[in-house]
Amino acid sequence: MDFWHYLAFVRKWATPGPRLPIDVRLGTPALSFRDIFGGWVLVQSLLSVLSKVDPIDISAWWLPPILMTVSYLCFYGLAETLFRNRNAAILSALVQLVNLAVYTNGDDSLGHVFFARINEDKFLLPFVLLPVATLFMIRYLRSGHRGDLACLLLLSLALPLSHPLGLVEAGLTFGFFFLFHLSLKQSRETAVRLAHILLPLVLLLVIPLVEKRFVAKPYTIGNEQARARYERLHQNRLLILDWEHNKYTAHPKLIGSPVTIAALVLAPLLLFYVNENIGAQFLFANSMGLVLLLYNALLAPLLGRLITPW
């Protein structure tokens, strides 16, 4: 259902003349930030127009294998930047490939999203844009080269223009690492470089704040079958502790992959290397920080209120 809703906006820009995208869930004109800021939607529409291939074929057949290949190149580049070792980067890419291939049991699984929905702007963020942005962030923090900062600034702009969640994901990914890095290395040079990274992200917050004005109002699902589907989807994502007081955490199934469990169990071993290794700092901070955030009944609802419109 979300696939056709998303393609409505791609077809709108790829079709000459005025045409309103239709919300296939309601049969009414769709209202979305993609009417104004849908950068990746515009790219897909442009590809459709230039290649004279229908948007459905572009999104369903051509883009997924291309983006999956690009995603693995991005992941390998990030791993090599973190580990500074080609063999370790190759091993990481192979482990990630196995994890995505075997963990595809359900609509919410990482593998399902990777193979079936990577062409959508929301999922282009974690699989393509954010790894490259992180790569240049780590490189700039290590070297201070202006070229790395310039590339990071371009990607920082691309994140919110692709989807409002771009800055949220970048903020979480960078934020945990920055706090941990500063606790280990307190120097003026480090503080200046972190400021150069964070200031553009803060200024770019104006984009999702404007985008929020274009999000459709919540609607009621009248169809019993559709309601059951949404409730099932909800149950696989959240563990509700108290409906009345809006207390919940992320569902344990979200980290149920054997590879994910093994990574979390082994993450404390990174503490032996964090004093001198930025890659170890990044991996430990994000592994532990996200778990503490998502499985905390006080913090998880705060994050939920921030990302719910999207």
Side-chain angles (χ1 to χ4, degrees), residues 12 30 49 59 75 92 109 112 116 134 145 147 203 207 216 222-223 265 278 286 302:
K12 171 192 174 182
V49 171
S59 295
F75 180 83
S92 298
S109 66
H112 174 84
T134 305
H145 290 165
L203 295 177
I207 296 177
N223 183 282
V265 171
I278 288 182
N286 276 278
L302 296 178

Side-chain angles (χ1 to χ4, degrees), residues 57-87:
D57 293 330
I58 287 281
S59 295
W61 297 103
W62 294 102
L63 277 179
I66 294 173
L67 291 176
M68 282 188 282
T69 303
V70 172
S71 175
Y72 263 97
L73 292 174
C74 296
F75 180 83
Y76 171 80
L78 175 59
E80 190 174 26
T81 300
L82 290 173
F83 300 131
R84 290 183 164 180
N85 184 293
R86 184 171 298 178
N87 292 333

Side-chain angles (χ1 to χ4, degrees), residues 7-43:
L7 280 182
F9 292 96
V10 178
R11 187 177 290 280
K12 171 192 174 182
W13 296 108
T15 304
R19 180 189 292 267
L20 285 176
I22 301 299
D23 187 335
V24 296
R25 295 167 293 192
L26 299 176
T28 58
L31 300 176
S32 172
F33 68 90
R34 294 185 178 100
D35 279 331
I36 305 298
F37 291 98
W40 178 239
V41 171
L42 290 176
V43 171

Side-chain angles (χ1 to χ4, degrees), residues 130-149:
L130 190 57
V132 181
T134 305
L135 183 157
F136 284 111
M137 182 269 292
I138 295 292
R139 290 180 55 171
Y140 175 69
L141 201 57
R142 280 177 175 156
S143 65
H145 290 165
R146 293 183 179 180
D148 293 329
L149 179 61

Side-chain angles (χ1 to χ4, degrees), residues 33 36-40 121 125 129 153-168 170 200-201 203-209 211 310:
F33 68 90
I36 305 298
F37 291 98
W40 178 239
D121 47 16
L125 298 175
L129 295 181
L153 293 179
L154 288 176
L155 286 160
S156 298
L157 179 61
L159 288 170
L161 289 180
S162 297
H163 194 279
L165 286 179
L167 289 182
V168 175
L201 295 176
L203 295 177
L204 288 171
L205 282 174
V206 67
I207 296 177
L209 291 177
E211 288 171 330
W310 317 113

Side-chain angles (χ1 to χ4, degrees), residues 29-303:
L31 300 176
S32 172
F33 68 90
R34 294 185 178 100
D35 279 331
I36 305 298
F37 291 98
W40 178 239
V41 171
L42 290 176
V43 171
Q44 288 182 269
S45 302
L46 181 61
L47 290 174
S48 176
V49 171
L50 294 178
S51 64
K52 297 182 180 179
V53 178
D54 189 85
I56 296 177
D57 293 330
I58 287 281
S59 295
W61 297 103
W62 294 102
L63 277 179
I66 294 173
L67 291 176
M68 282 188 282
T69 303
V70 172
S71 175
Y72 263 97
L73 292 174
C74 296
F75 180 83
Y76 171 80
L78 175 59
E80 190 174 26
T81 300
L82 290 173
F83 300 131
R84 290 183 164 180
N85 184 293
R86 184 171 298 178
N87 292 333
I90 293 174
L91 178 61
S92 298
L94 291 176
V95 171
Q96 181 73 335
L97 176 62
V98 172
N99 185 40
L100 292 173
V102 301
Y103 192 52
T104 56
N105 55 334
D107 292 342
D108 287 333
S109 66
L110 187 64
H112 174 84
V113 169
F114 180 76
F115 290 112
R117 302 183 65 182
I118 192 174
N119 59 297
E120 298 179 26
D121 47 16
K122 183 187 296 185
F123 303 110
L124 184 77
L125 298 175
F127 289 120
V128 178
L129 295 181
L130 190 57
V132 181
T134 305
L135 183 157
F136 284 111
M137 182 269 292
I138 295 292
R139 290 180 55 171
Y140 175 69
L141 201 57
R142 280 177 175 156
S143 65
H145 290 165
R146 293 183 179 180
D148 293 329
L149 179 61
C151 292
L152 176 59
L153 293 179
L154 288 176
L155 286 160
S156 298
L157 179 61
L159 288 170
L161 289 180
S162 297
H163 194 279
L165 286 179
L167 289 182
V168 175
E169 294 180 8
L172 292 175
T173 303
F174 295 177
F176 291 127
F177 166 62
F178 288 169
L179 291 174
F180 191 56
H181 182 67
L182 278 175
S183 69
L184 297 172
K185 187 177 180 180
Q186 300 176 1
S187 67
R188 183 178 181 278
E189 181 183 45
T190 299
V192 169
R193 290 179 183 177
L194 292 180
H196 289 164
I197 296 171
L198 284 174
L199 183 59
L201 295 176
V202 173
L203 295 177
L204 288 171
L205 282 174
V206 67
I207 296 177
L209 291 177
V210 174
E211 288 171 330
K212 192 173 182 179
R213 297 170 59 90
F214 295 91
V215 176
K217 296 180 180 179
Y219 54 85
T220 300
I221 303 173
N223 183 282
E224 292 296 331
Q225 184 178 1
R227 181 184 290 110
R229 175 184 178 275
Y230 274 83
E231 288 179 352
R232 184 169 62 254
L233 186 65
H234 178 76
Q235 290 173 355
N236 290 334
R237 290 176 175 175
L238 300 178
L239 182 63
I240 306 299
L241 304 176
D242 188 337
W243 282 94
E244 183 177 352
H245 297 95
N246 196 35
K247 297 293 183 182
Y248 58 85
T249 67
H251 201 285
K253 288 183 179 180
L254 296 178
I255 56 172
S257 164
V259 175
T260 303
I261 294 173
L264 293 175
V265 171
L266 295 174
L269 296 178
L270 294 169
L271 291 173
F272 292 104
Y273 306 95
V274 294
N275 287 331
E276 301 297 334
N277 192 312
I278 288 182
Q281 295 172 17
F282 177 83
L283 293 173
F284 179 81
N286 276 278
S287 297
M288 297 294 100
L290 285 174
V291 170
L292 292 176
L293 173 64
L294 297 178
Y295 292 91
N296 185 311
L298 297 177
L299 298 179
L302 296 178
L303 178 62

